[in-house]
Amino acid sequence: MARTDTAVANTSTEQRSALVAAGALCWRKRQGQLEVLLIHRPRYDDWSWPKGKIDPGETTPECAVREVREEVGITIRLGIPLPTIEYPVSAGLKVVHYWAARAEGLTPKPDGKEVDAFLWCSPERAAELLSNPSDREPLDALVTAANEDDLSTWPLIIVRHAKAKPRSSWTRAEGERPLAATGRRQALAVSKLLQAWSPDRIVSSPWIRCVQTIMPYVKESGARLKLVDAITERDAARKPDRARGAVGKLFDRRVPVALCTHRPVLPLVLDVLRAHMPMRLANALPTTDPYLAPGEAIICQVSSKNHGRVVSVEQFRAYDD
């Protein structure tokens, strides 16, 4: 079985295959035992995972959350990424991206059309029932993560602010430089992307372009917003240790969180992330300027049981103008 340490880099521009889909392996614990959620599709008379084809302009994480909601009526928060599977279908090659998703306390309600039944069962029983043999690969990875206490996680997300008006054309205070029109559209896309992980807290530079980037998500979700001077360009350049400290505190709170900052601050942020992950994942982080495109995000899943240990890294660009 593959280790749970995972590095995945996906962007919206990557979805070039003829048939791209996404879904999730929903899981829960019952009397200390792991159970996973299978669905039955009457059209194919098979047992599989909730999944579906990506919509135009949608990222794979957004697709996974939407499909689970549409097929079984529950809203999930994505956990660790699981192996992507590929298999031939009549229209060509189908590529399906999967995530783990904790579904404790959620009651599935099949839509009655694509899905007419569901079953919570042990991983062993799921392996027997799955109609597509390739669906066992993400299941194996999920079981490995559970055995290593890395299945229960919380997301720590780093966002570079969306495209701002050019510095050369701005004559007022740098902290007041706002988003460009493209950046405002990117901010809406960032909001949709963040909803796949549903961070409860947002930590942001108080400079206007960062606040404008994350405000659509804050308004949509009701997440708590905290503005931190230490991660502005100016303060991070003057006192880099304070910027690193602000990032380090995110690990101490152990709650889903997103941090929005500036390109020049990203090297300090990435230094802190590297200290919390094994070398394999650290090597997957960006190392050259500009590190992230405007509106792009790095998603780290942090183990709930192994404090401060990052077990997966993903990278997504929410919007390309």
Side-chain angles (χ1 to χ4, degrees), residues 68-97:
V68 172
R69 183 175 60 249
E70 290 178 357
E71 291 191 343
V72 292
I74 60 176
T75 299
I76 58 170
R77 170 186 279 156
L78 297 183
I80 61 170
L82 299 172
T84 297
I85 66 171
E86 300 180 357
Y87 54 92
V89 293
S90 58
L93 185 68
K94 188 167 186 176
V95 180
V96 188
H97 300 262

Side-chain angles (χ1 to χ4, degrees), residues 19 49 57 90-91 96 127 155 167 169 173 203 225 236 242 287-288 295 321:
L19 291 170
W49 311 117
S90 58
V96 188
R167 294 178 192 266
S169 64
V203 175
L225 172 62
R242 286 189 59 197
T287 57
T288 57
D321 198 24

Side-chain angles (χ1 to χ4, degrees), residues 22-72:
L25 276 63
C26 300
W27 64 273
R28 69 181 187 182
K29 288 287 186 73
R30 280 293 178 271
Q31 298 180 337
Q33 299 300 309
L34 179 66
E35 293 183 342
V36 292
L37 179 67
L38 288 181
I39 60 167
H40 183 264
R41 302 183 299 174
R43 179 182 177 184
Y44 304 102
D45 189 23
D46 69 354
W47 288 95
S48 67
W49 311 117
K51 65 178 181 300
K53 288 184 287 188
I54 193 169
D55 283 346
E58 190 176 47
T59 61
T60 48
E62 294 167 49
C63 175
V65 173
R66 175 182 56 77
E67 285 290 340
V68 172
R69 183 175 60 249
E70 290 178 357
E71 291 191 343
V72 292

Side-chain angles (χ1 to χ4, degrees), residues 174-310:
E174 180 63 15
E176 298 176 5
R177 183 159 60 94
L179 296 181
T182 296
R184 292 194 295 273
R185 294 193 293 274
Q186 286 176 335
L188 295 175
V190 167
S191 175
K192 294 178 181 178
L193 179 65
L194 288 179
Q195 289 171 37
W197 295 276
S198 299
D200 302 317
R201 296 179 66 237
I202 302 293
V203 175
S204 175
S205 160
W207 286 12
I208 190 64
R209 52 191 180 271
C210 284
V211 174
Q212 288 180 331
T213 296
I214 48 79
M215 193 52 68
Y217 175 77
V218 170
K219 290 180 177 178
E220 177 70 24
S221 67
R224 179 186 173 190
L225 172 62
K226 182 178 182 180
L227 303 180
V228 178
D229 289 327
I231 55 174
T232 63
E233 288 188 32
R234 180 190 59 213
D235 284 30
R238 292 174 178 175
K239 298 180 179 180
D241 285 344
R242 286 189 59 197
R244 293 189 187 96
V247 180
K249 289 179 181 178
L250 303 181
F251 287 92
D252 296 334
R253 294 292 297 270
R254 307 190 194 191
V255 295
V257 62
L259 179 144
C260 184
T261 190
H262 310 263
R263 177 190 56 78
V265 186
L266 288 175
L268 301 176
V269 175
L270 295 172
D271 283 348
V272 178
L273 295 185
R274 289 189 184 94
H276 285 267
M277 61 182 66
M279 186 62 68
R280 176 175 173 270
L281 293 186
N283 289 340
L285 291 174
T287 57
T288 57
D289 195 14
Y291 308 102
L292 294 174
E296 193 169 15
I298 292 173
I299 297 89
C300 298
Q301 291 290 340
V302 187
S303 174
S304 297
K305 296 189 177 182
N306 297 314
H307 175 53
R309 180 172 181 257
V310 174

